[in-house]
Amino acid sequence: MAQSAYIYLVNGSAAPTITLDELKEHLDRYKEQTALTGKQLGWDYAASAFPYSIETKPEGQGKWFYLKGRDPQYNYILMGVGTKAEEDGEKGYIQVTLPDDATHGDKSKGNELCKYLAKKLKAELKLFNGRTMYFNPRK
């Protein structure tokens, strides 16, 4: 059965909504940061930290894309964006889904990417196991 994690953009988040292009920019920034870390360490850390290529399909245009694994221990991670109506306006969210044939490596990388995105966006993160992590400023 597929598992999903959600990154909710709440009050105090960096932005109230997010687009698919902005999500891809955050992933590109993650790849750049890991490449710089690898350069300092003297090895290709970027290939290990982000062992995926970003792929799109026509039916998911504007709503979702998937990360296709380049190594045998990684298969797929689906990522999508959306909004939900609340009493104080539209709130955005990112859904990260592990399909049925996802590996343990996909789940680990999914958790890692979710934590990175939630921290950058100052958002609330509901992990694959149902636990919630708060990266947003709360009173």
Side-chain angles (χ1 to χ4, degrees), residues 20-135:
L20 212 54
D21 291 331
E22 291 170 338
L23 178 57
K24 287 179 184 178
E25 287 174 14
H26 282 290
L27 291 176
D28 288 338
R29 180 68 183 134
Y30 178 78
K31 289 191 286 188
E32 289 173 16
Q33 286 179 330
T34 56
L36 290 173
T37 301
K39 186 176 179 183
Q40 288 178 334
L41 297 174
W43 66 290
D44 190 18
Y45 179 59
S48 297
F50 195 80
Y52 297 99
S53 62
I54 298 174
E55 309 281 334
T56 57
K57 287 193 172 186
E59 61 266 20
Q61 199 68 23
K63 283 290 184 191
W64 59 270
F65 60 87
Y66 66 98
L67 304 177
K68 182 179 178 186
R70 289 183 280 207
D71 296 335
Q73 68 257 33
Y74 302 103
N75 287 341
Y76 298 100
I77 299 176
L78 299 166
M79 300 186 101
V81 296
T83 57
K84 63 179 181 174
E86 291 188 357
E87 61 273 356
D88 56 345
E90 293 273 314
K91 296 292 181 187
Y93 66 89
I94 300 169
Q95 181 177 354
V96 180
T97 304
L98 298 173
D100 292 334
D101 60 344
T103 64
H104 290 290
D106 290 326
K107 188 169 186 176
S108 296
K109 287 298 176 185
N111 277 327
E112 187 178 325
L113 291 171
C114 285
K115 288 176 187 175
Y116 171 80
L117 291 168
K119 187 175 181 183
K120 285 294 176 192
L121 296 170
K122 298 179 183 172
E124 181 180 312
L125 169 61
K126 185 171 182 183
L127 293 165
F128 297 109
N129 62 7
R131 293 185 178 145
T132 303
M133 296 178 78
Y134 300 95
F135 294 94

